[in-house]
PDB file of all heavy atoms in Angstrom:
ATOM      1  N   GLU A   3     103.733 123.225 106.808  1.00 79.00           N
ATOM      2  CA  GLU A   3     103.149 122.724 105.569  1.00 79.00           C
ATOM      3  C   GLU A   3     103.983 121.585 104.998  1.00 79.00           C
ATOM      4  O   GLU A   3     103.425 120.611 104.491  1.00 79.00           O
ATOM      5  CB  GLU A   3     103.026 123.849 104.546  1.00 79.00           C
ATOM      6  CG  GLU A   3     101.967 124.872 104.896  1.00 79.00           C
ATOM      7  CD  GLU A   3     101.919 126.000 103.884  1.00 79.00           C
ATOM      8  OE1 GLU A   3     102.481 125.854 102.779  1.00 79.00           O
ATOM      9  OE2 GLU A   3     101.313 127.022 104.196  1.00 79.00           O
ATOM     10  N   ARG A  13     101.554 108.444 104.155  1.00 88.00           N
ATOM     11  CA  ARG A  13     100.318 107.678 104.220  1.00 88.00           C
ATOM     12  C   ARG A  13     100.039 107.014 102.872  1.00 88.00           C
ATOM     13  O   ARG A  13      99.655 105.838 102.808  1.00 88.00           O
ATOM     14  CB  ARG A  13      99.147 108.556 104.639  1.00 88.00           C
ATOM     15  CG  ARG A  13      97.880 107.737 104.842  1.00 88.00           C
ATOM     16  CD  ARG A  13      96.754 108.537 105.398  1.00 88.00           C
ATOM     17  NE  ARG A  13      96.377 109.576 104.469  1.00 88.00           N
ATOM     18  CZ  ARG A  13      95.744 110.684 104.801  1.00 88.00           C
ATOM     19  NH1 ARG A  13      95.420 110.922 106.041  1.00 88.00           N
ATOM     20  NH2 ARG A  13      95.426 111.568 103.891  1.00 88.00           N
ATOM     21  N   VAL A  21      98.849  97.328  99.904  1.00 96.00           N
ATOM     22  CA  VAL A  21      98.312  96.626  98.738  1.00 96.00           C
ATOM     23  C   VAL A  21      99.353  95.685  98.150  1.00 96.00           C
ATOM     24  O   VAL A  21      99.047  94.540  97.786  1.00 96.00           O
ATOM     25  CB  VAL A  21      97.798  97.637  97.686  1.00 96.00           C
ATOM     26  CG1 VAL A  21      97.434  96.956  96.382  1.00 96.00           C
ATOM     27  CG2 VAL A  21      96.620  98.419  98.237  1.00 96.00           C
ATOM     28  N   LEU A  24      99.582  92.537 100.238  1.00 96.00           N
ATOM     29  CA  LEU A  24      98.408  91.691 100.022  1.00 96.00           C
ATOM     30  C   LEU A  24      98.486  90.969  98.677  1.00 96.00           C
ATOM     31  O   LEU A  24      98.124  89.791  98.569  1.00 96.00           O
ATOM     32  CB  LEU A  24      97.126  92.513 100.102  1.00 96.00           C
ATOM     33  CG  LEU A  24      96.676  92.928 101.494  1.00 96.00           C
ATOM     34  CD1 LEU A  24      95.386  93.734 101.399  1.00 96.00           C
ATOM     35  CD2 LEU A  24      96.488  91.733 102.401  1.00 96.00           C
ATOM     36  N   MET A  30     101.221  84.189  96.361  1.00 94.00           N
ATOM     37  CA  MET A  30     101.787  82.975  96.973  1.00 94.00           C
ATOM     38  C   MET A  30     100.700  81.925  97.169  1.00 94.00           C
ATOM     39  O   MET A  30     100.927  80.738  96.940  1.00 94.00           O
ATOM     40  CB  MET A  30     102.449  83.302  98.308  1.00 94.00           C
ATOM     41  CG  MET A  30     103.769  84.015  98.213  1.00 94.00           C
ATOM     42  SD  MET A  30     105.098  83.004  97.565  1.00 94.00           S
ATOM     43  CE  MET A  30     105.351  81.871  98.904  1.00 94.00           C
ATOM     44  N   ASN A  40     100.811  69.994  90.704  1.00 86.00           N
ATOM     45  CA  ASN A  40     101.861  70.102  89.702  1.00 86.00           C
ATOM     46  C   ASN A  40     103.200  70.369  90.393  1.00 86.00           C
ATOM     47  O   ASN A  40     103.500  71.510  90.737  1.00 86.00           O
ATOM     48  CB  ASN A  40     101.528  71.235  88.726  1.00 86.00           C
ATOM     49  CG  ASN A  40     102.556  71.395  87.642  1.00 86.00           C
ATOM     50  OD1 ASN A  40     103.427  70.554  87.466  1.00 86.00           O
ATOM     51  ND2 ASN A  40     102.460  72.489  86.910  1.00 86.00           N
ATOM     52  N   SER A  54     111.244  73.420  95.197  1.00 85.00           N
ATOM     53  CA  SER A  54     111.079  72.061  94.683  1.00 85.00           C
ATOM     54  C   SER A  54     111.768  71.035  95.566  1.00 85.00           C
ATOM     55  O   SER A  54     111.266  69.919  95.724  1.00 85.00           O
ATOM     56  CB  SER A  54     111.601  71.972  93.253  1.00 85.00           C
ATOM     57  OG  SER A  54     112.975  72.312  93.206  1.00 85.00           O
ATOM     58  N   TYR A  71     105.834  82.084 104.409  1.00 92.00           N
ATOM     59  CA  TYR A  71     105.913  83.237 103.507  1.00 92.00           C
ATOM     60  C   TYR A  71     104.585  83.988 103.446  1.00 92.00           C
ATOM     61  O   TYR A  71     104.559  85.218 103.472  1.00 92.00           O
ATOM     62  CB  TYR A  71     106.344  82.799 102.099  1.00 92.00           C
ATOM     63  CG  TYR A  71     107.829  82.637 101.962  1.00 92.00           C
ATOM     64  CD1 TYR A  71     108.466  81.469 102.359  1.00 92.00           C
ATOM     65  CD2 TYR A  71     108.605  83.651 101.438  1.00 92.00           C
ATOM     66  CE1 TYR A  71     109.832  81.321 102.241  1.00 92.00           C
ATOM     67  CE2 TYR A  71     109.975  83.521 101.309  1.00 92.00           C
ATOM     68  CZ  TYR A  71     110.585  82.347 101.720  1.00 92.00           C
ATOM     69  OH  TYR A  71     111.932  82.226 101.604  1.00 92.00           O
ATOM     70  N   LEU A  74     104.166  85.891 106.642  1.00 92.00           N
ATOM     71  CA  LEU A  74     105.051  87.053 106.681  1.00 92.00           C
ATOM     72  C   LEU A  74     104.477  88.197 105.863  1.00 92.00           C
ATOM     73  O   LEU A  74     104.410  89.335 106.344  1.00 92.00           O
ATOM     74  CB  LEU A  74     106.440  86.690 106.159  1.00 92.00           C
ATOM     75  CG  LEU A  74     107.433  87.845 106.170  1.00 92.00           C
ATOM     76  CD1 LEU A  74     107.919  88.111 107.587  1.00 92.00           C
ATOM     77  CD2 LEU A  74     108.584  87.563 105.250  1.00 92.00           C
ATOM     78  N   LEU A  76     101.337  88.686 104.997  1.00 95.00           N
ATOM     79  CA  LEU A  76     100.107  89.184 105.620  1.00 95.00           C
ATOM     80  C   LEU A  76     100.414  90.037 106.854  1.00 95.00           C
ATOM     81  O   LEU A  76      99.762  91.064 107.073  1.00 95.00           O
ATOM     82  CB  LEU A  76      99.188  88.020 105.988  1.00 95.00           C
ATOM     83  CG  LEU A  76      98.525  87.315 104.810  1.00 95.00           C
ATOM     84  CD1 LEU A  76      97.724  86.115 105.284  1.00 95.00           C
ATOM     85  CD2 LEU A  76      97.647  88.266 104.021  1.00 95.00           C
ATOM     86  N   ARG A  87      96.654 103.916 109.251  1.00 87.00           N
ATOM     87  CA  ARG A  87      95.777 104.459 110.296  1.00 87.00           C
ATOM     88  C   ARG A  87      96.530 105.449 111.170  1.00 87.00           C
ATOM     89  O   ARG A  87      95.988 106.485 111.544  1.00 87.00           O
ATOM     90  CB  ARG A  87      95.220 103.331 111.160  1.00 87.00           C
ATOM     91  CG  ARG A  87      94.221 102.479 110.433  1.00 87.00           C
ATOM     92  CD  ARG A  87      93.671 101.409 111.330  1.00 87.00           C
ATOM     93  NE  ARG A  87      92.703 100.592 110.621  1.00 87.00           N
ATOM     94  CZ  ARG A  87      92.194  99.496 111.121  1.00 87.00           C
ATOM     95  NH1 ARG A  87      92.531  99.076 112.318  1.00 87.00           N
ATOM     96  NH2 ARG A  87      91.322  98.808 110.429  1.00 87.00           N
ATOM     97  N   ALA A 135     119.304  67.262 104.922  1.00 79.00           N
ATOM     98  CA  ALA A 135     120.234  67.670 103.865  1.00 79.00           C
ATOM     99  C   ALA A 135     119.543  68.491 102.777  1.00 79.00           C
ATOM    100  O   ALA A 135     119.857  68.370 101.601  1.00 79.00           O
ATOM    101  CB  ALA A 135     120.954  66.464 103.276  1.00 79.00           C
ATOM    102  N   PHE A 141     114.890  83.484 105.771  1.00 78.00           N
ATOM    103  CA  PHE A 141     114.367  84.837 105.643  1.00 78.00           C
ATOM    104  C   PHE A 141     115.524  85.781 105.901  1.00 78.00           C
ATOM    105  O   PHE A 141     116.376  85.524 106.735  1.00 78.00           O
ATOM    106  CB  PHE A 141     113.267  85.123 106.663  1.00 78.00           C
ATOM    107  CG  PHE A 141     111.908  84.644 106.258  1.00 78.00           C
ATOM    108  CD1 PHE A 141     111.029  84.179 107.216  1.00 78.00           C
ATOM    109  CD2 PHE A 141     111.482  84.666 104.951  1.00 78.00           C
ATOM    110  CE1 PHE A 141     109.772  83.736 106.874  1.00 78.00           C
ATOM    111  CE2 PHE A 141     110.228  84.230 104.586  1.00 78.00           C
ATOM    112  CZ  PHE A 141     109.370  83.766 105.556  1.00 78.00           C
ATOM    113  N   SER A 162     107.554 106.819 127.039  1.00 75.00           N
ATOM    114  CA  SER A 162     107.830 108.242 127.245  1.00 75.00           C
ATOM    115  C   SER A 162     106.545 109.057 127.212  1.00 75.00           C
ATOM    116  O   SER A 162     106.374 110.010 127.973  1.00 75.00           O
ATOM    117  CB  SER A 162     108.819 108.765 126.205  1.00 75.00           C
ATOM    118  OG  SER A 162     108.232 108.783 124.928  1.00 75.00           O
ATOM    119  N   LYS A 166     104.860 111.220 130.263  1.00 67.00           N
ATOM    120  CA  LYS A 166     104.557 112.642 130.059  1.00 67.00           C
ATOM    121  C   LYS A 166     103.101 112.916 130.445  1.00 67.00           C
ATOM    122  O   LYS A 166     102.811 113.934 131.082  1.00 67.00           O
ATOM    123  CB  LYS A 166     104.791 113.044 128.601  1.00 67.00           C
ATOM    124  CG  LYS A 166     104.513 114.502 128.354  1.00 67.00           C
ATOM    125  CD  LYS A 166     104.726 114.881 126.927  1.00 67.00           C
ATOM    126  CE  LYS A 166     104.347 116.347 126.780  1.00 67.00           C
ATOM    127  NZ  LYS A 166     104.329 116.785 125.441  1.00 67.00           N
ATOM    128  N   ASP A 170     101.477 115.424 133.482  1.00 61.00           N
ATOM    129  CA  ASP A 170     100.551 116.534 133.194  1.00 61.00           C
ATOM    130  C   ASP A 170      99.294 116.388 133.957  1.00 61.00           C
ATOM    131  O   ASP A 170      98.716 116.394 134.770  1.00 61.00           O
ATOM    132  CB  ASP A 170     100.193 116.590 131.709  1.00 61.00           C
ATOM    133  CG  ASP A 170     101.388 116.994 130.874  1.00 61.00           C
ATOM    134  OD1 ASP A 170     102.346 117.561 131.424  1.00 61.00           O
ATOM    135  OD2 ASP A 170     101.355 116.722 129.663  1.00 61.00           O
TER     136      ASP A 170
END
Side-chain angles (χ1 to χ4, degrees):
E3 290 178 16
R13 186 174 63 203
V21 171
L24 285 180
M30 286 290 290
N40 181 11
S54 60
Y71 278 83
L74 180 76
L76 289 176
R87 290 182 180 172
F141 277 146
S162 68
K166 181 181 177 188
D170 292 341

